[in-house]
Amino acid sequence: MLFEPPPNFQKHIDVAEVRYLSRTTSTETIAGLPPSSRNRPKEEKPIYVSEIQPRDWFEALPIVSMTLPHGPWQLEKLPTAPYAYNVSLKKKPSITINFGCGGDLEGENSKFRKILSREPSPLTNDEIAYFYPSGSFVAGHSEDLNGKRVIVFEGHFKEKNLDMYQLEFNHNPDAYGVCVQAVITFSAPPSQYKHHIKAFKAALKTIRWIHKVEIDPSK
């Protein structure tokens, strides 16, 4: 199905097999890249970051900058479909911050858009179950974060024994009228989650969103 791509996706994005996080499987294991072979080039050295900078490493994200919790955080970009992205930051194998977007357009009457358009408020149990019928998320509310309306979900992924804090929002600048759901998810085992969640929430408050997209008329 054709859809209007997000305004922030004016640059080339490589085409690859879909491996991004979906709404209902945001913390499930993502299949890795193909195994190494003699014909593949040597693997690049790991990249460690402490903030969402420079832009060429995070060009798809709708964020100007963000200071991460104390790291180091290993950066990994996972293959995605066109107009999608999946950027993973790992402090330990089980402590992860993930930035994901499937590139799917939200219709005018979508429940996601309706919740974003109303005043900040708690989500009802029925609304949470509508998005996550598996019961992984047990609490949710909408709020304004640095000038952008977001939805927060909190819960536990039993299959991997991970607690989760997930931010959902429109990837596009809100003023553009085109809504594409995106997420930032923090997940960790319960004991580690309790230790790190306060720092992650503080990191979210440092986000500077992209509120205006400059389109190059020559492209």
Side-chain angles (χ1 to χ4, degrees):
M1 182 178 68
L2 296 177
F3 63 93
E4 184 176 357
N8 198 28
F9 282 123
Q10 299 301 322
K11 297 182 179 179
H12 170 75
I13 296 179
D14 294 334
V15 178
E17 181 181 358
V18 177
R19 294 189 186 277
Y20 55 83
L21 300 181
S22 67
R23 177 181 293 279
T24 58
T25 59
S26 63
T27 55
E28 292 184 7
T29 300
I30 301 173
L33 297 175
S36 59
S37 69
R38 292 180 301 174
N39 298 324
R40 292 186 64 202
K42 293 182 179 180
E43 293 185 2
E44 297 181 359
K45 292 182 178 180
I47 297 174
Y48 293 92
V49 298
S50 60
E51 61 181 341
I52 304 302
Q53 284 286 356
R55 285 298 303 166
D56 58 349
W57 286 356
F58 302 97
E59 60 182 354
L61 273 58
I63 294 173
V64 176
S65 63
M66 173 184 174
T67 301
L68 300 171
H70 181 70
W73 295 87
Q74 183 175 345
L75 169 65
E76 182 180 10
K77 293 184 179 181
L78 300 170
T80 61
Y83 306 116
Y85 57 82
N86 192 359
V87 177
S88 179
L89 301 174
K90 293 182 179 295
K91 186 170 185 179
K92 295 179 180 179
S94 56
I95 301 178
T96 304
I97 299 174
N98 183 268
F99 300 82
C101 177
D104 297 320
L105 182 69
E106 295 282 343
E108 290 290 336
N109 296 318
S110 79
K111 188 175 291 289
F112 181 70
R113 291 188 73 155
K114 289 180 178 179
I115 292 175
L116 287 179
S117 65
R118 74 191 188 196
E119 289 299 310
S121 60
L123 270 64
T124 66
N125 291 335
D126 287 343
E127 287 173 331
I128 296 171
Y130 173 85
F131 293 120
Y132 296 102
S134 66
S136 293
F137 288 101
V138 296
H141 69 274
S142 59
E143 64 179 57
D144 289 328
L145 178 65
N146 298 343
K148 191 172 185 69
R149 185 68 50 80
V150 302
I151 304 173
V152 175
F153 289 98
E154 298 178 76
H156 180 76
F157 187 55
K158 291 190 296 183
E159 286 79 357
K160 298 294 181 180
N161 191 31
L162 297 172
D163 282 349
M164 303 171 294
Y165 188 94
Q166 183 157 292
L167 205 71
E168 303 196 8
F169 51 92
N170 180 8
H171 165 90
N172 297 282
D174 294 335
Y176 279 65
V178 178
C179 186
V180 175
Q181 182 252 6
V183 303
I184 303 174
T185 306
F186 173 75
S187 60
S191 60
Q192 295 291 331
Y193 182 91
K194 294 177 182 178
H195 181 70
H196 292 284
I197 186 59
K198 183 177 180 180
F200 176 69
K201 290 180 179 180
L204 290 177
K205 294 181 180 180
T206 70
I207 290 178
R208 292 175 56 212
W209 302 101
I210 294 177
H211 291 297
K212 183 178 181 181
V213 177
E214 299 292 345
I215 300 176
D216 188 344
S218 65
K219 296 182 180 181

